[in-house]
Amino acid sequence: MNKIKKISINKLGYGFIKDLPKGKDEYYLRNKQNRSGITYRKLTALEIEILVRNRNTSDEWSNILVSNEFNPELVKNSSFFGLNRIGNLETSCLSFSDLIVPIGIYNSTIISCDFGNNVSVHNVNYMSHYILGNEVIINNVNELVTTNHAKFGNGIIKKGEPEEVRIWMEICNENTGRKVLPFNGMTAGDAYLWTRHRADAALQQKFIEITENQFDDKLGYYGKVGDRTVIKNCKIIKDVWIGEDAYLKGANKIKNVTINSHPEATTQIGEGCELVNGIIGYGCRIFYGIKAVRFVLSDYSQLKYGARLINSFLGPNATISCCEVLNSLIFPAHEQHHNNSFLCAATVMGQSNIAAGATLGSNHNSRGADGEVVMGRGFWPGLCVSIKHNSVFASFSLLNKGDYNYELNIPIPFSLISNDPIKDELIIMPGYWFLYNFYALARNAWKYMDRDKRKYKTPIYEYDYLAPDSVNELLTAREIIAKAVATAQLTKQKKTVFTDESKLLALGENLLSTKTKKEIDALEITVNGFENSKRKVKLIKSYDAYHMFEKIIFIYGIEAALRVTENKKGKNSISTLQQVKLSSTNLTWTNIGGQLIPNKNVEGLLNKIKSGAIESWNQVHAFYETESEKYNTRKDLHALSTLEKLTKKSVNKVSTTQFVNWLDSYLEIKKDITARIHATRAKDYANPFRKMVYESEEEMNAIVGSLKDNSFIKEQNNALSQLEIEIAALKKELKAK
């Protein structure tokens, strides 16, 4: 039975805070929140007379306070309860897009609210305990209400509330084992750190404490609507804090949410949306039937066309359209479209693109809802891919169409992963992107940087396909390939496979250095531990991948050397390199929400949180900023360390002759890469099955653009030409010394 109570009409709008601090009235928090600077006064007798004539009512006219420029003629057919304060009202209209409405308050029920200057409030059936900024438009809203225990989407509890009302966000794992408390300003890095180290109870408790300390537990905070925000044709808005210049139209329900918005990063929420228990970042777009519950949507991200986001964190500059995402932590620059995509219980480390029909994550292979998928940067499943919990993928993994019925652990980056149901084998092609689709790989790196809409690009999110995380995986992948080749050779010769890993690696490296591509490709190369099954897992194109990985790591190192020696003449270039201090600790990094940070620094941060030396999320974010400032320098040190590991030559002892040889090799590789970028795109223009839908080549060029006019390829060719000039000049200076 619904519990409906009768209370006195005289109490409507009063008693918002039940347990007042000594010496405070029930408006003390409201007065603290209202920073309009408006000086209020009581109504004059004439103003009251005009208000009454305009069919307005109030439980107590003395509790309506107004500014000196208040015009009572612009308030009509409205009822006021409690203390209401109204700013200037000018005889004018506010215009936004195609909406033009008179300034004033019309046909509305207002309970204990503050209004800034020149607001336009029309047909608000029930508006309670809100503070409006200047030039706000609210038109046709059923309910705009704040309760005295409003938390605005933050995972806190108020004074006197039981723990069970606290809102948790259950990311990464459906069984709540990695749940975190959402809060305004939460980053993907915050969420990721919190979801890890779950066995460290002291650290986990500190995360809860620093979140709670960011807010107070007082009852009685009002909802806010920032300057120039427009709200029209919405049904229920309850316990929502709204920033400046936001635009809400046609939403069904928004409850317990913070909506960040700013004149330079406006947020918009459109028709049919239902958003409950969440945080929305700056510059977001949410349109057309969205369902989001227990969520964080980071800055400049989008939810569109019926998308469902539940118990999930979506990183910056990301888009989810049509599909469903549950219990997931998603880093920056994620793309997920099409109505039948599904992502569940996953950690997705950014620059990912989920194709139509993908079903990523299923508990059907487990006895409980405790599975997870971890996807490295650049994860890209093809059409109708289905994968199971638990699975882990290295950076830039590409899954071919198919049902993957076993758990996967793919440590080789840039791989094409294919299921062969006829032979019942899993096929891994290491280095697919480098070998066959360099155009897309290189262009995507540029695309993600271009789509980063943040005005201030800090902290630095890594979008380059060559970075400490992916290059470390390349180093590991070469060892995996070498050992697999050695095992295949020994098996072919019917010899005992070495149990000594170092001997196995040495043999594989020797075979890949001395044998021909034809000889290596003739081997049946298999690996263990990639799939939870008894069937074969084969590596193909191992020879090509091994040597391509070497080239890619090499250019990563040489480009760092060129940056370190930039603007140095002749021998100064060599001496600068020789003075660089390298350490093995440069080689271990972690992706913290899209920002790459050395492991030792992350461990230092966690120790400071645990000890209490860091006691706020603002301090954690300051740590991210500091790391970002040092990132490019540290990345160069990492690259030089990998160059040493690859070439087995000390950078500190490099000679002029060696450096010149490196430059020659580097330039040749860059020429090859530029040619591959052109060739992989040119295939699309030569493929007869692509061309057959066009009447002529001229029509094809008119629709998709001609190859010779491709701006990205032109840019790459120009960069190569400039590089050739710079390398020639540097070699001349070196030899002159």
Side-chain angles (χ1 to χ4, degrees), residues 597-609:
I597 303 176
N599 284 6
K600 63 176 182 178
N601 296 27
V602 176
E603 291 167 5
L605 168 68
L606 296 176
N607 287 333
K608 287 182 179 178
I609 293 172

Side-chain angles (χ1 to χ4, degrees), residues 460-729:
I460 295 172
Y461 296 135
E462 183 56 86
Y463 297 128
D464 198 328
Y465 56 88
L466 292 183
D469 58 342
S470 58
V471 172
N472 284 347
E473 290 172 338
L474 286 173
L475 288 167
T476 300
R478 292 186 83 240
E479 293 184 358
I480 292 171
I481 294 171
K483 292 175 185 178
V485 167
T487 300
Q489 178 70 11
L490 292 170
T491 302
K492 182 180 180 181
Q493 296 172 342
K494 298 183 179 180
K495 294 181 179 179
T496 302
V497 177
F498 301 143
T499 56
D500 187 324
E501 293 286 318
S502 60
K503 286 185 178 180
L504 200 63
L505 176 60
L507 174 60
E509 289 174 340
N510 181 61
L511 290 170
L512 285 159
S513 300
T514 58
K515 297 288 185 180
T516 65
K517 168 180 164 56
K518 185 176 181 180
E519 289 173 310
I520 297 298
D521 287 348
L523 297 171
E524 183 179 66
I525 303 170
T526 61
V527 288
N528 297 318
F530 279 45
E531 183 178 73
N532 185 23
S533 72
K534 295 180 181 180
R535 65 178 184 164
K536 287 181 181 177
V537 178
K538 288 185 178 179
L539 298 186
I540 61 173
K541 304 288 184 181
S542 296
Y543 182 92
D544 291 340
Y546 182 84
H547 291 286
M548 179 55 78
F549 286 178
E550 179 181 15
K551 293 176 181 179
I552 295 299
I553 298 167
F554 181 76
I555 65 168
Y556 173 69
I558 295 299
E559 286 176 353
L562 290 173
R563 286 190 295 269
V564 169
T565 60
E566 191 176 10
N567 300 322
K568 303 294 182 181
K569 299 290 185 180
K571 287 290 185 183
N572 285 336
S573 298
I574 302 300
S575 61
T576 301
L577 270 182
Q578 291 172 343
Q579 292 168 18
V580 173
K581 295 182 179 179
L582 300 179
S583 167
S584 59
T585 57
N586 294 332
L587 288 171
T588 53
W589 292 64
T590 303
N591 185 345
I592 305 296
Q595 180 181 3
L596 303 184
I597 303 176
N599 284 6
K600 63 176 182 178
N601 296 27
V602 176
E603 291 167 5
L605 168 68
L606 296 176
N607 287 333
K608 287 182 179 178
I609 293 172
K610 192 173 176 180
S611 69
I614 286 180
E615 50 190 5
S616 74
W617 286 112
N618 288 337
Q619 289 176 288
V620 174
H621 297 166
F623 166 82
Y624 298 155
E625 294 293 337
T626 300
E627 291 300 306
S628 188
E629 291 167 4
K630 299 175 181 178
Y631 175 65
N632 288 325
T633 299
R634 286 176 174 163
K635 181 180 177 181
D636 285 343
L637 294 177
H638 173 269
L640 293 175
S641 295
T642 59
L643 182 64
E644 281 192 345
K645 187 171 183 178
L646 179 76
T647 63
K648 297 180 173 59
K649 297 183 186 298
S650 172
V651 170
N652 298 133
K653 297 177 182 178
V654 65
S655 65
T656 300
T657 302
Q658 180 64 68
F659 193 47
V660 169
N661 290 339
W662 277 354
L663 292 175
D664 288 338
S665 298
Y666 167 69
L667 189 56
E668 287 304 310
I669 297 170
K670 291 295 286 186
K671 288 178 181 178
D672 178 52
I673 288 174
T674 305
R676 286 174 181 271
I677 289 172
H678 181 275
T680 52
R681 183 57 174 150
K683 287 189 296 186
D684 294 335
Y685 287 82
N687 187 334
F689 287 91
R690 284 182 175 266
K691 295 169 68 174
M692 68 184 181
V693 297
Y694 309 108
E695 293 180 358
S696 63
E697 188 171 333
E698 289 75 19
E699 184 186 55
M700 181 177 71
N701 289 337
I703 293 170
V704 302
S706 67
L707 182 63
K708 64 182 179 62
D709 293 330
N710 185 292
S711 60
F712 181 72
I713 291 177
K714 282 183 176 180
E715 181 183 299
Q716 296 299 304
N717 288 332
N718 291 338
L720 178 62
S721 298
Q722 182 61 34
L723 180 64
E724 289 177 313
I725 294 170
E726 292 172 0
I727 294 293

Side-chain angles (χ1 to χ4, degrees), residues 25-56:
D25 63 24
E26 68 169 293
Y27 309 116
Y28 81 103
L29 290 176
R30 172 181 177 179
N31 294 334
K32 178 182 175 182
Q33 287 181 271
N34 189 336
R35 303 182 182 93
S36 67
I38 298 173
T39 300
Y40 298 103
R41 60 172 175 80
K42 291 192 174 184
L43 293 166
T44 65
L46 178 59
E47 287 170 334
I48 294 173
E49 182 181 338
I50 294 170
L51 289 168
V52 171
R53 187 185 68 210
N54 286 341
R55 296 178 301 281
N56 297 292

